[in-house]
Amino acid sequence: MADSQITKKALGDGLKELVRKKGFDKVSVGDITGACGMGRQSFYYHFQDKFELLEWVYYQDAFAPLCEGITLQNWPMKLRAMLDRMYDERKFYVAAIKAQPRHFSESLSRILEALFLQVTERLDEENDVGEERRKFGASFYALGCCAVVVRWAQGGMRVAPDTLARDIYCLAKDSERAAIRLAEATEPQK
C-alpha cells in the first residue's frame, strides 16, 4: 500500500474510533490527528476537512466493495455485502449518519444513481425509454434506496442486513414485473 493510502487509512481509522466514542459533531481535525499521532499538516495534505475524510471512509469502507464488479446478476449480493459491512461497523455508521444524514445520503446517492443508470442503459439497448427517463428512474431509485438505508441506520440498524437487502431486492423485482405487465398491456394490437 502506498504511503498516501496508509496515511489516509490511519486518519480514517482514527475518525471511526473517535466517532464511535463521542459522535461525529464533537470530533475535530485536531482530535483525529492526535489519535493518529500525526500533525495537522498531514491531515490537510490529504483532506480539506473532516467531511471529506468522512466521505472517503464511506467510500473505502462500504461503497467501493458495492461498485467493484457489480452486474445485473450479483447486485443483490453486493448490496447485502455493503449492508453487512455497515452493520459490522454499526456503532460508527449509526453515530455518523445520525449526525450527518445528508452527507451519507448524498455520497451514496451519487454512486447508486450512476450504477442504476448503467443498468438501465444496458437494459434499454434500443433506446425505447430515452435518456431523460433513464436518468429520472436512476435518480428515483437511488434516492429511495438511500432514504431506506439512512432510516435503517437512524433506527439503530434493528433489522438484519439480509432482511433489508431482501426487501430492496423484492421491491426491484416487483417493479420489474409491474413494468413488464404494463408494457404488455399498452402494446398496440397487431
Side-chain angles (χ1 to χ4, degrees), residues 117-155:
L117 194 54
Q118 287 175 10
V119 167
T120 57
E121 285 171 352
R122 279 188 244 144
L123 293 174
D124 188 28
E125 293 172 349
E126 296 175 18
N127 200 25
D128 292 331
V129 175
E131 185 178 356
E132 287 305 310
R133 282 185 51 207
R134 282 195 310 269
K135 285 181 179 178
F136 176 80
S139 176
F140 179 85
Y141 280 105
L143 292 170
C145 285
C146 287
V148 167
V149 173
V150 167
R151 182 178 290 170
W152 175 63
Q154 289 175 326

Side-chain angles (χ1 to χ4, degrees), residues 4-187:
S4 178
Q5 286 300 102
I6 292 169
T7 302
K8 287 179 177 182
K9 182 164 178 9
L11 292 166
D13 289 345
L15 173 68
K16 286 169 66 175
E17 186 59 36
L18 290 165
V19 168
R20 282 186 207 103
K21 288 179 181 173
K22 61 184 193 175
F24 182 78
D25 290 338
K26 294 181 181 166
V27 174
S28 68
V29 170
D31 294 334
I32 298 165
T33 56
C36 301
M38 294 182 197
R40 292 172 68 87
Q41 291 171 326
S42 294
F43 180 93
Y44 288 114
Y45 180 78
H46 297 285
F47 301 103
Q48 290 181 353
D49 54 30
K50 70 179 187 175
F51 297 97
E52 188 176 0
L53 172 59
L54 180 63
E55 186 169 344
W56 183 88
V57 168
Y58 287 155
Y59 185 80
Q60 295 301 312
D61 203 47
F63 303 161
L66 170 70
C67 299
E68 292 168 1
I70 195 166
T71 65
L72 283 171
Q73 292 74 33
N74 73 6
W75 77 263
M77 283 89 58
K78 293 286 193 169
L79 175 64
R80 165 77 188 276
M82 182 191 84
L83 296 174
D84 282 339
R85 179 68 185 147
M86 290 176 66
Y87 189 80
D88 291 345
E89 293 281 341
R90 68 185 163 274
K91 195 165 183 182
F92 163 72
Y93 279 97
V94 167
I97 293 170
K98 279 185 177 180
Q100 295 292 322
R102 190 170 145 225
H103 196 76
F104 176 85
S105 186
E106 287 175 358
S107 298
L108 181 57
S109 179
R110 281 192 303 274
I111 290 164
L112 290 179
E113 192 167 338
L115 291 173
F116 281 125
L117 194 54
Q118 287 175 10
V119 167
T120 57
E121 285 171 352
R122 279 188 244 144
L123 293 174
D124 188 28
E125 293 172 349
E126 296 175 18
N127 200 25
D128 292 331
V129 175
E131 185 178 356
E132 287 305 310
R133 282 185 51 207
R134 282 195 310 269
K135 285 181 179 178
F136 176 80
S139 176
F140 179 85
Y141 280 105
L143 292 170
C145 285
C146 287
V148 167
V149 173
V150 167
R151 182 178 290 170
W152 175 63
Q154 289 175 326
M157 298 185 183
R158 290 188 183 105
V159 173
D162 62 326
T163 301
L164 183 60
R166 185 192 66 233
D167 289 348
I168 292 171
Y169 174 73
C170 288
L171 178 63
K173 292 307 281 180
D174 291 347
S175 296
E176 178 184 18
R177 282 192 287 276
I180 290 168
R181 283 194 301 272
L182 181 62
E184 289 170 351
T186 58
E187 277 185 8

